[in-house]
Amino acid sequence: MTAPLKAIDGSADLPALMNDLASRARAAARVLALAPAAQKNRALEAMERLIRARVDTIIAANAEDVVEAKAAGITSSFLDRLTLTPARVAAMADGIAAVREVADPIGIVTESWQRPNGMTIERVRVPLGVIGVIFESRPNVAADAGVLCLKSGNAVILRGGSDSFRSCRAIHECLVEGLREAGLPDAAITLVPTRDRAAVGLLLSGLNGGVDVIVPRGGKNLVARVEAEARVPVFAHLEGVNHVYVDGAADLEMAKSIVLNAKMRRTGVCGAAETLLIDRASQDKIKPLVDTLINAGCEVRGDDAVRAADARVKPASNEDWDTEYLDAVIAAKVVDGVEGAIAHIQAHGSHHTDAIVTADVAAADKFLNEVDSAIVLHNASTQFADGGEFGFGAEIGIATGKFHARGP
C-alpha cells in the first residue's frame, strides 16, 4: 500500500502533487472497473458503519470549520450548508446505505440488436474512469460523491471548499478506511490535501490526461469558472431559479403546504423555490399564500397584483425574477394560466426544478410536457430535487444541461 499523501501549503510543488494524485487515481480506476459488486458493497457497508461510529469526531471537525467561517462573516444560508448536525451525519450514513442497495450499474446491457450481416451489437454500461469533483461548503458532498463514484466503478478526486476542509478530511478518513476493509485501493476516493486554490486550476487542466470528467458542485461563479477553464468534459448544473405555479384548479391547503415547504424547509439548498406564480383565475389564493410565507418569516416581493392583495409585500424589480436568493425571500407574480406560467419559466428559469399545484390533469400534463427543466413536479415541493429522494441514495448535483443525464 502506498503511503498517504500529506497536506501541503502553497510553497510545495503543487503540480507534482496533483499529477501524483491523478496517477494513483488512474491506477485505482482500473481496479474499480473490474471490482465485483459484492466487494464494492463491502466497502460501502464499512463506510456507513464508520461514519455512524465517528459522528462526534466529524461534528468536532465541522465545528472548527464553522467557527472559522463565522469569523469570516459568511451568510446565514452559507452557514446552513456548511453546518453538520447529528441528524445530518446520520442522513449521510443513510445515503451510503441506500447507494449500497442500488443495483450495480456496471456491465448492464441497456440495448441489444442484430444486424443483417449477422453482427450482434450491445450497448453496455461501463465506468467513465477518473472523475474530478469540485464542490463548495457542503461537506456531505464528499461522502455523496465518493460513494456514488465507487458504486459506478469510478475513481474520484475530491476538491472541497477551503471552508469545509477539516470536515471533509474527517469524512474522507472514514471512506478510505472502508476501502481498505474491502481490499480496494485508497486512491479510489482521493481528497486533495491542500487549501491552495491553484489546485482547482490544475484539476481543471485534466492533469495530463489523468482526469476524464469534471463535476462542479457549487454556486454559479464556481460553475462558470469550471466551464470556462476545464480542458475535459464537464457535467454542470446551474443555479436553482425554481418556480412553484399555483393553478386555478389547485386545492388551497395543498398549495399553502407545498409553497411553504418549497421555500422554507431549507432556504439555502438548490431545490428551494425562488418564485411563486399564481393563476390570474385564482387571485383569491394570493392573500392566504402570502400570509403563509410571511408568517413563516419569508420576505415576499411581488408584482402589482400581488401587492394589491397584501400591503406587506415589497415591490419586485426585474432582477427578482432571475434571482436565486438562497434565503428567506421569494418573488411572486400573477400569470395568465398555465400558458403564462410556462412562458415566465422559459424566460426566467434556470431549467433546474419547477412545480405545478393543480387538480386539473390536463393542465398538469401540459406543464410537465412543456417546461424544459431537469426536474418537473406535479403537486410536490421543489425540495424533492434531491438524489436521495429519487432512490439514488445520494447526489453530487442536479445536472441542468442537455449533455449526459439531466437531474440528480
Side-chain angles (χ1 to χ4, degrees), residues 307-322:
R307 293 181 67 211
D310 195 312
R312 296 172 295 174
V313 175
K314 297 181 179 180
S317 68
N318 289 333
E319 290 73 26
D320 282 308
W321 311 123
D322 303 303

Side-chain angles (χ1 to χ4, degrees), residues 78-315:
F78 185 99
L79 184 63
D80 176 63
R81 294 195 295 273
L82 174 63
T83 302
L84 292 175
T85 64
R88 290 181 181 180
V89 175
M92 196 188 313
D94 290 343
I96 296 173
V99 170
R100 187 177 68 248
E101 295 303 316
V102 172
D104 193 291
I106 300 307
I108 298 295
V109 177
T110 61
E111 292 180 84
S112 179
W113 64 95
Q114 192 162 30
R115 298 291 296 148
N117 63 4
M119 287 183 66
T120 298
I121 301 172
E122 294 180 339
R123 182 169 285 151
V124 184
R125 287 181 172 175
V126 298
L128 294 168
V130 178
I131 299 177
V133 179
I134 304 169
F135 59 98
E136 297 175 318
S137 63
R138 289 195 184 100
N140 62 288
V141 175
D144 290 351
V147 302
L148 285 170
C149 288
L150 172 64
K151 184 75 177 189
S152 56
N154 295 290
V156 62
I157 300 174
L158 303 167
R159 205 294 181 176
S162 298
D163 44 82
S164 61
F165 188 68
R166 300 176 186 86
S167 309
C168 290
R169 292 188 73 180
I171 293 166
H172 180 248
E173 287 174 6
C174 298
L175 304 183
V176 170
E177 288 196 31
L179 290 168
R180 290 172 183 165
E181 284 195 26
L184 292 169
D186 292 11
I189 303 176
T190 296
L191 180 69
V192 175
T194 175
R195 295 189 185 198
D196 192 328
R197 294 182 182 276
V200 174
L202 290 165
L203 196 54
L204 294 178
S205 74
L207 296 170
N208 297 313
V211 176
D212 295 294
V213 66
I214 296 287
V215 180
R217 181 72 171 93
K220 58 184 177 183
N221 290 336
L222 170 66
V223 176
R225 180 190 174 187
V226 168
E227 291 187 314
E229 296 183 20
R231 297 294 177 264
V232 293
V234 174
F235 295 158
H237 71 107
L238 201 59
E239 71 268 32
V241 182
N242 306 320
H243 303 74
V244 176
Y245 165 59
V246 178
D247 186 56
D251 175 81
L252 177 59
E253 291 307 310
M254 176 186 286
K256 286 162 61 177
S257 176
I258 288 173
V259 169
L260 181 63
N261 183 278
K263 176 70 258 186
M264 298 299 289
R265 172 183 166 269
R266 287 187 70 185
T267 60
V269 299
C270 66
E274 305 294 14
T275 300
L276 169 63
L277 302 174
I278 304 168
D279 190 349
R280 197 175 301 280
S282 60
Q283 293 194 59
D284 58 319
K285 294 183 174 73
I286 298 175
K287 175 66 174 173
L289 287 168
V290 169
D291 270 342
T292 299
L293 288 163
I294 291 179
N295 290 342
C298 182
E299 176 185 317
V300 180
R301 302 176 186 176
D303 65 0
D304 290 344
V306 176
R307 293 181 67 211
D310 195 312
R312 296 172 295 174
V313 175
K314 297 181 179 180

Side-chain angles (χ1 to χ4, degrees), residues 59-80:
I59 289 178
N62 180 250
E64 294 184 42
D65 286 335
V66 168
V67 167
E68 188 172 87
K70 284 181 176 178
I74 65 164
T75 64
S76 59
S77 59
F78 185 99
L79 184 63
D80 176 63

Side-chain angles (χ1 to χ4, degrees), residues 40-41 44-45 47-49 52 90-105 143-144 147-148 151 386-395:
K40 292 185 288 186
N41 287 339
L44 292 167
E45 185 281 326
M47 292 171 185
E48 176 201 351
R49 171 169 37 82
R52 292 192 195 280
M92 196 188 313
D94 290 343
I96 296 173
V99 170
R100 187 177 68 248
E101 295 303 316
V102 172
D104 193 291
D144 290 351
V147 302
L148 285 170
K151 184 75 177 189
D386 179 283
E389 300 294 344
F390 281 55
F392 301 146
E395 68 158 273

